[in-house]
Amino acid sequence: MIARVTLEIALRREFDYSIPAEFEGRVEVGTRVKVPFGHRTVVGVVTEIVGSSSQTQLRPIADVLGTRSLVTPKVLALARWIAAYYCCPVETALKSVLPEAVRREEAGWRERLHVHFLPTPAAPPVLTKRQEAILRIIEEWRSLPLQDLLRIGETTAETVRKLEDRGLVSIAPQIDERDPYARERILPTTPLALNDEQSVALEKIKAAMGSGAERPFLLHGVTGSGKTEVYLQAIRHALELGRGAIVLVPEISLTPQTVERFKARFSSGEPRTLVAVLHSHLSSGERHDEWHKIRDGRARIVIGARSAIFAPVEPLGLVIVDEEHEHSYKQEESPRYHARDVAVVRAQRERAVVVLGSATPSVESFHNVRKGKYTLLEMTRRIDDRRLPIVRVIDMRQEPRPPRGGAPSVFSRPLREAIRARLERSEQTMLFLNRRGFSTSLQCLKCGHACGCPNCSVSLTYHRAARKLMCHICGHEEGVPERCPAPGCGDPSIRFAGLGTERVEDALRTGFPKARIERMDSDTLKRKEDYRRILTEFRLGRIDILVGTQMIAKGLHFPNVTLVGIVHADLSLHQADFRAGERTFQLLTQVSGRAGRGDVEGEVFVQSFTPFHPAIQYARRHDFIGFYDQEVEFREQLRYPPFARVALLTLRGRNEDKVKLFIEHLRRELGKRFGDWKNLIIAGPAPAPLVRAESHFRHQIMLRTVAMSRLSTDLGLLVAEWPLPEDLHLTVDIDPVNLG
Ligand code: ADP
Ligand code: ZN
């Protein structure tokens, strides 16, 4: 027999090798092997077993890795689909399908060196700053693999050995099964009695599981309508049928709170199983072990972010994609797959039922309902008929401005009063602004110069705590000038403009000196535990006002929050993106959904300079269908998704003239190859919205077609053979969510 092998050194080709007698019976589709390639030996995966080969002089497989294949034929087939549709080599797709931690391991379980924190002796020895920092990391984790520590702490084994010499830590080999939630105590729960709308949804889902081939479901349920309870009971049904389930949630809402709800239901009683968790904050050891629990069939339920869609659950009965409209389901590096769309494809291939859930479905998914491709399940009411919050839109143009161009105040009068009232009643407030930092730009009042990043086409953000100007694209930092740095100006009247979360926090501390205030954004969350700590304190009522970026927008459930303020609703409206309105509608609805989840009715204040924009007005009325109907009108006119699919080609390089020259070539080539296609729109080339990032110029061509599978296959071929100078990079993004 002959094995067809794809090599890890992405070559976009497969090679045939003979299977020597000694490996007979151990090589199947998905087996990892070592094979000779030129003068080297490289690792690859068997993709097919064939009877004959067109290649002459086959060389034999040199070695077989592992005792069983890691890639099941089904997952392999999925990887092939991803490669074809998202224009990347099969090897690249395979890398996403198998976590690094699993792929690297040469022979199953292995002993690893672990570093353990030891309680400090009476007189702690004097440490260098560096050693101290490493010790703090170990203390935080209690115990972690040495490899992970070296990576996280950017340190050397030698430094860690020094800590061991001083009796502060111990280092020992260990084969343990890591459980990332081992420190949690989780109380079991039992299924709740469903309300009418929940029951209807669950009956329909169960019926589909019985019948096999069904259309995907779109569960449109308002915030707080009890979608998660429906998921839990649907999963229970899948287990009873002897099948497993995958639950995808956006990385940002993969909070301990979410995971606990699933563990609590299935950790005792019948049917009972382990719940495996897969996401990017696990150590590689944890990820390895979680993956094997699934592969062994001990964990029949997987909850995770994007890549969990590749979990080796078999047989697969149910896939749930919660918050299906979320853009983080799209991977922003090759393979640029969209986990929701992969979920639909995988479920269809494995005859599993797929449920896409959201309070604000994507225009694409709802369009599929209208076309009859998806089945709609609706939950229009909150549990216990709690009212949706009252949303008040505040016209910031009417707010008094300080004389002589000072910064306008952060809070309108009504919002300020509402916050004060909550403090008096000991209720909680969440304030939302999707931009961190203190102010978004530093601008000279005299000449208009704004301090920009030397590497990117954006202005620098002022971070007051750090006393620095920073670029949010490339991380560039510089000091804050006292005078305008523009040549020939030097005027001292340089001012900060625009808002960030840091400034909101500052305004709160000034306005409400007695309130207990916390801010949550990526600047304040430096440590692994911070996120959980702040949320716990907020839940316990030790924080009155929580300020944050989108981190606080999703999936959190705090009954005592009765006020939500959206400080600047227009931010996401001004993006150069056909989805700007949709994004704004979703964000406002999700953030509003945090209010009034307890017994007291909630109130939401939306501050805006464009208060009559449809995205804002429909969100105010909680009217998804109204928003959808007006939104699709313009999408249809301009042939944007869902009426066509988009392929975005971005060429980048340091030399702008060269980028422009080559993208013109590319445009001509596209015209040659696809010019006679019907209903294909080729737009551009044009500068990308962010024309310069990290010192690279970026220019784009956008293609729109209804026949994307066919186009992407042809684009894949073009990209593979298109000659580009080494200093230019071309990316192809199919169904992009970021037009960047
Ligand atoms: P969603 O995901 O739709 O925003 P959740 O699933 O978080 O809503 O439900 C909101 C709250 O209602 C949760 O505290 C949940 O435990 C509770 N809940 C859900 N279904 C029921 C039910 N049938 N009876 C009582 N409480 C329920
Ligand atoms: Zn920059």
Side-chain angles (χ1 to χ4, degrees):
M1 293 303 269
I2 294 162
R4 189 153 286 167
V5 179
T6 141
L7 308 180
E8 282 202 345
I9 45 172
L11 286 167
R12 286 181 186 272
R13 275 196 57 184
E14 288 157 323
F15 296 87
D16 293 346
Y17 291 88
S18 62
I19 304 173
E22 53 180 313
F23 298 135
E24 207 66 63
R26 284 179 59 198
V27 179
E28 52 183 290
V29 171
T31 304
R32 297 176 66 247
V33 291
K34 275 192 177 166
V35 293
F37 188 76
H39 297 295
R40 297 188 283 162
T41 304
V42 299
V43 174
V45 176
V46 176
T47 58
E48 222 177 314
I49 305 285
V50 292
S52 64
S53 170
S54 59
Q55 295 169 26
T56 48
Q57 297 199 339
L58 294 185
R59 298 168 76 180
I61 286 174
D63 203 358
V64 173
L65 301 174
T67 47
R68 66 174 176 212
S69 68
L70 294 175
V71 190
T72 63
K74 283 177 187 159
V75 170
L76 187 66
L78 195 62
R80 280 185 188 284
W81 177 81
I82 287 175
Y85 186 74
Y86 293 103
C87 294
C88 71
V90 177
E91 302 78 22
T92 309
L94 271 174
K95 283 189 178 157
S96 269
V97 163
L98 263 196
E100 173 92 6
V102 176
R103 223 165 358 98
R104 293 267 146 191
E105 189 139 85
E106 306 257 329
W109 306 92
R110 211 172 20 178
E111 283 193 335
R112 267 168 292 211
L113 287 177
H114 276 238
V115 185
H116 302 269
F117 182 76
L118 300 176
T120 325
V126 180
L127 297 176
T128 65
K129 241 179 147 175
R130 197 68 206 119
Q131 291 168 339
E132 184 71 35
I134 299 302
L135 186 62
R136 292 285 80 86
I137 294 176
I138 304 168
E139 180 181 10
E140 192 181 321
W141 288 74
R142 296 281 137 187
S143 162
L144 79 167
L146 178 63
Q147 282 303 326
D148 292 350
L149 177 63
L150 300 187
R151 189 172 44 80
I152 299 166
E154 293 171 6
T155 183
T156 59
E158 202 186 337
T159 308
V160 185
R161 290 276 178 215
K162 283 196 182 126
L163 294 174
E164 187 188 31
D165 292 345
R166 296 181 184 185
L168 297 167
V169 305
S170 69
I171 305 176
Q174 194 175 320
I175 320 178
D176 58 346
E177 193 162 272
R178 285 142 296 239
D179 178 351
Y181 293 81
R183 281 191 271 154
E184 308 290 322
R185 266 172 301 138
I186 298 175
L187 300 177
T189 63
T190 49
L192 302 172
L194 300 182
N195 67 22
D196 290 353
E197 289 185 329
Q198 286 176 313
S199 304
V200 171
L202 185 67
E203 273 160 13
K204 288 189 187 170
I205 296 172
K206 279 185 178 177
M209 266 190 255
S211 72
E214 253 289 346
R215 286 177 301 205
F217 287 104
L218 178 68
L219 173 55
H220 175 211
V222 298
T223 53
S225 58
K227 293 186 285 297
T228 310
E229 186 62 31
V230 174
Y231 302 155
L232 287 167
Q233 298 197 22
I235 293 170
R236 181 193 168 94
H237 188 70
L239 293 180
E240 283 166 355
L241 295 177
R243 316 183 91 188
I246 297 176
V247 182
L248 298 186
V249 297
E251 181 89 45
I252 203 161
S253 51
L254 194 55
T255 59
Q257 209 181 355
T258 310
V259 174
E260 266 168 35
R261 283 177 82 173
F262 287 83
K263 294 211 170 205
R265 187 60 59 87
F266 297 103
S267 58
S268 64
E270 282 302 324
R272 172 181 183 167
T273 184
L274 292 178
V275 176
V277 182
L278 289 175
H279 62 81
S280 64
H281 293 304
L282 299 183
S283 68
S284 59
E286 285 171 340
R287 211 169 309 170
H288 168 274
D289 294 359
E290 293 292 290
W291 194 90
H292 279 283
K293 277 180 213 163
I294 305 163
R295 183 75 170 97
D296 295 346
R298 284 180 296 140
R300 313 290 310 283
I301 303 172
V302 181
I303 174 164
R306 198 163 57 219
S307 66
I309 191 53
F310 303 116
V313 176
E314 220 165 311
L316 182 64
L318 179 65
V319 183
I320 287 161
V321 184
D322 193 27
E323 312 277 11
E324 65 88 25
H325 63 281
E326 266 289 317
H327 288 168
S328 60
Y329 283 127
K330 174 84 173 168
Q331 173 147 301
E332 293 293 355
E333 59 187 54
S334 188
R336 297 169 180 270
Y337 68 92
H338 196 304
R340 177 198 58 212
D341 298 346
V342 175
V344 170
V345 170
R346 179 168 177 189
Q348 190 204 3
R349 287 165 172 250
E350 303 187 22
R351 314 201 86 197
V353 168
V354 62
V355 179
L356 314 179
S358 176
T360 52
S362 62
V363 169
E364 284 88 346
S365 293
F366 204 77
H367 184 67
N368 281 328
V369 168
R370 287 278 170 91
K371 278 195 308 191
K373 279 176 75 179
Y374 291 1
T375 303
L376 182 66
L377 305 171
E378 273 188 300
M379 305 207 312
T380 55
R381 282 178 289 123
R382 282 188 157 182
I383 291 298
D384 296 335
D385 284 321
R386 281 196 182 119
R387 300 260 301 271
L388 284 167
I390 297 162
V391 180
R392 301 182 199 286
V393 179
I394 298 173
D395 187 345
M396 293 302 276
R397 295 168 307 183
Q398 309 291 337
E399 283 294 306
R401 287 185 158 250
R404 307 229 303 130
S409 57
V410 177
F411 304 116
S412 59
R413 216 153 353 119
L415 179 53
R416 217 167 16 222
E417 284 315 311
I419 296 173
R420 193 185 315 285
R422 294 315 181 288
L423 289 171
E424 277 163 14
R425 298 206 294 264
S426 299
E427 292 167 8
Q428 290 172 301
T429 297
M430 287 173 106
L431 294 175
F432 173 85
L433 177 66
N434 212 4
R435 196 156 58 184
R436 63 201 167 84
F438 189 82
S439 72
T440 40
S441 65
L442 185 58
Q443 200 167 25
C444 175
L445 290 183
K446 183 145 175 255
C447 74
H449 171 84
C451 292
C453 175
N455 313 316
C456 312
S457 53
V458 294
S459 54
L460 295 171
T461 303
Y462 173 49
H463 287 251
R464 194 162 77 163
R467 291 167 191 252
K468 282 200 174 99
L469 295 175
M470 294 185 191
C471 172
H472 286 186
I473 303 289
C474 73
H476 167 84
E477 294 182 2
E478 61 184 58
V480 183
E482 300 203 343
R483 294 168 170 274
C484 176
C489 181
D491 198 88
S493 67
I494 190 157
R495 287 269 171 82
F496 297 109
L499 283 179
T501 43
E502 208 180 341
R503 169 122 179 261
V504 175
E505 181 190 359
D506 187 70
L508 280 173
R509 292 199 189 282
T510 315
F512 306 100
K514 293 213 186 96
R516 294 164 300 175
I517 299 158
E518 279 275 1
R519 171 162 60 94
M520 195 142 110
D521 57 33
S522 54
D523 289 332
T524 63
L525 302 186
K526 292 286 181 242
R527 293 157 49 111
K528 191 182 173 213
E529 295 297 322
D530 284 346
Y531 183 76
R532 184 180 301 204
R533 177 182 57 78
I534 295 180
L535 291 185
T536 305
E537 292 194 351
F538 194 54
R539 180 164 314 117
L540 294 175
R542 292 191 199 134
I543 297 170
D544 300 312
I545 306 173
L546 185 62
V547 183
T549 53
Q550 59 175 350
M551 266 180 202
I552 65 170
K554 306 277 155 59
L556 300 174
H557 181 77
F558 299 107
N560 197 34
V561 172
T562 61
L563 173 65
V564 164
I566 296 156
V567 178
H568 190 356
D570 314 80
L571 268 190
S572 52
L573 277 180
H574 300 315
Q575 287 164 351
D577 187 328
F578 68 89
R579 290 195 183 89
E582 181 182 4
R583 237 171 253 192
T584 304
F585 176 83
Q586 289 168 347
L587 203 59
L588 295 187
T589 309
Q590 295 286 344
V591 178
S592 307
R594 300 310 113 217
R597 295 174 73 97
D599 296 332
V600 185
E601 208 169 308
E603 205 179 12
V604 178
F605 283 82
V606 178
Q607 301 192 144
S608 169
F609 289 92
T610 50
F612 298 106
H613 191 285
I616 293 178
Q617 284 301 324
Y618 284 111
R620 179 176 76 78
R621 297 202 290 268
H622 308 287
D623 182 2
F624 170 76
I625 307 283
F627 173 75
Y628 172 85
D629 284 336
Q630 69 86 36
E631 178 73 15
V632 285
E633 226 170 85
F634 111 85
R635 301 271 186 103
E636 182 159 27
Q637 273 165 13
L638 300 179
R639 311 299 303 161
Y640 273 119
F643 299 93
R645 286 174 176 263
V646 173
L648 188 65
L649 277 50
T650 306
L651 187 66
R652 65 188 167 86
R654 285 176 188 275
N655 181 329
E656 186 164 29
D657 290 338
K658 205 164 169 185
V659 172
K660 282 182 175 166
L661 183 72
F662 274 86
I663 199 146
E664 285 294 348
H665 283 327
L666 183 60
R667 172 69 184 80
R668 276 197 292 279
E669 183 66 24
L670 291 170
K672 247 191 261 166
R673 295 199 185 196
F674 307 116
D676 57 345
W677 277 41
K678 276 203 205 82
N679 297 325
L680 175 72
I681 300 171
I682 307 180
L690 181 66
V691 62
R692 188 156 181 255
E694 302 179 65
S695 303
H696 284 75
F697 290 91
R698 312 161 75 245
H699 288 252
Q700 297 178 328
I701 296 172
M702 185 194 269
L703 297 99
R704 306 209 285 283
T705 175
V706 282
M708 186 51 83
S709 301
R710 211 180 119 207
L711 178 67
S712 66
T713 308
D714 290 359
L715 276 179
L717 295 174
L718 188 158
V719 172
E721 59 187 48
W722 180 250
L724 265 186
E726 264 192 13
D727 53 351
L728 295 184
H729 307 272
L730 177 65
T731 56
V732 180
D733 195 349
I734 307 294
D735 300 334
V737 299
N738 177 357
L739 303 185

